[in-house]
Amino acid sequence: MVGLEVLQGENEQMFGNGEIQHDINETTTDDVAEAANAPSLTVAYAKTSFDIGNTSLLAGVSYAKGDSRIDHLDDGENPHAFYGESTLYGADLTFKHYYSSYRSLSWENELIYRDMDGIQYSGVTSGSADMNKKQAGYYTQLIYAHNQNWRTGLRYDDIYKNNVNGNEINAGDRYSVMAEYNPSEFSRIRLQYNVNKALFEHDDATDSYIQKDLKSVIVQFNYAIGAHGAHAF
């Protein structure tokens, strides 16, 4: 399956096409960036799947490119804006092996790479500078379905690239383990433990960032009422 989409391109985090203006005072306005022509975002993707015996393989690639208009000039502490172009690249791969109707092992993987290139505008100094961000991360996880009711899993997330204007900035990774019990098709109980190593604290004495571990336990309960879709793959 292949697909192509042409979209309006409005997204606060990455894409956008609106005009950016900065009100310096009650009478003076700084025109930061002109509006981009809409539609300003193009998305393309390709997906495939096939079976080898009791094993299913699913793979896909995706691409998104569009104009960027990110306006945070109303932020109190650090007003800023960004305008330019942004590109997203994605790839995913899943293997799933069936031992029986309800017992299976699934290995899922996904990679995303982002490239933002444009101008960063500072609302404090009314100055601007070239800005280029190259960031990438992936996750890989194993999910084992013991039977119709129980599943366990391991997951690893990693932000392996965080490059801003040629300077590599601290990134990090996360480890997760979970156990899940499904009393029925309409309910789910999950217990999950995470160790997040992607958080950093600024040390004023050395003017450096120190990596901090964040450990968390999540208990989740889902209950669905009414009609439901097809059985999960």
Side-chain angles (χ1 to χ4, degrees):
M1 179 172 65
V2 295
L4 176 67
E5 298 176 272
V6 179
L7 307 172
Q8 189 75 4
E10 295 181 358
N11 180 287
E12 183 181 356
Q13 299 300 321
M14 185 168 176
F15 297 109
N17 49 42
E19 183 182 21
I20 300 178
Q21 290 186 334
H22 182 208
D23 295 330
I24 299 176
N25 52 49
E26 294 181 356
T27 60
T28 305
T29 299
D30 188 5
D31 293 326
V32 178
E34 296 180 351
N37 293 326
S40 60
L41 173 62
T42 302
V43 176
Y45 60 88
K47 300 180 181 181
T48 187
S49 65
F50 56 89
D51 297 331
I52 305 174
N54 293 328
T55 302
S56 297
L57 184 148
L58 299 91
V61 292
S62 58
Y63 171 84
K65 185 178 182 63
D67 293 302
S68 292
R69 297 291 188 272
I70 302 174
D71 186 359
H72 292 290
L73 292 175
D74 292 332
D75 291 358
E77 294 184 358
N78 182 30
H80 63 280
F82 174 83
Y83 54 96
E85 285 190 341
S86 296
T87 308
L88 268 181
Y89 305 90
D92 59 89
L93 181 65
T94 298
F95 294 92
K96 189 164 187 177
H97 180 76
Y98 290 91
Y99 300 98
S100 65
S101 298
Y102 298 109
R103 191 163 65 94
S104 64
L105 179 66
S106 178
W107 181 33
E108 302 176 17
N109 307 270
E110 185 174 0
L111 169 71
I112 293 180
Y113 181 95
R114 178 171 82 164
D115 187 355
M116 302 181 70
D117 190 29
I119 303 295
Q120 180 86 1
Y121 177 89
S122 172
V124 177
T125 62
S126 297
S128 61
D130 293 339
M131 174 66 71
N132 178 260
K133 294 182 180 181
K134 298 182 183 296
Q135 298 158 318
Y138 69 91
Y139 83 85
T140 181
Q141 69 178 22
L142 279 172
I143 304 293
Y144 180 62
H146 301 261
N147 49 45
Q148 192 173 4
N149 303 106
W150 283 97
R151 298 198 316 163
T152 54
L154 298 170
R155 175 173 171 129
Y156 176 71
D157 303 76
D158 183 26
I159 303 173
Y160 68 90
K161 174 180 281 294
N162 189 21
N163 189 297
V164 179
N165 289 342
N167 299 313
E168 197 67 27
I169 299 175
N170 292 326
D173 53 10
R174 182 178 68 173
Y175 304 84
S176 303
V177 58
M178 74 89 178
E180 182 181 283
Y181 177 64
N182 297 270
S184 70
E185 295 182 31
F186 302 95
S187 57
R188 173 182 300 167
I189 302 171
R190 173 183 290 186
L191 176 64
Q192 181 168 317
Y193 176 71
N194 303 312
V195 178
N196 191 342
K197 296 178 177 292
L199 300 176
F200 294 84
E201 184 178 88
H202 186 262
D203 186 353
D204 294 334
T206 60
D207 193 24
S208 61
Y209 288 89
I210 301 174
Q211 187 268 326
K212 296 288 185 179
D213 290 352
L214 175 63
K215 300 176 181 179
S216 60
V217 177
I218 299 173
V219 179
Q220 183 183 38
F221 174 70
N222 290 351
Y223 186 78
I225 299 175
H228 64 291
H231 294 279
F233 168 71

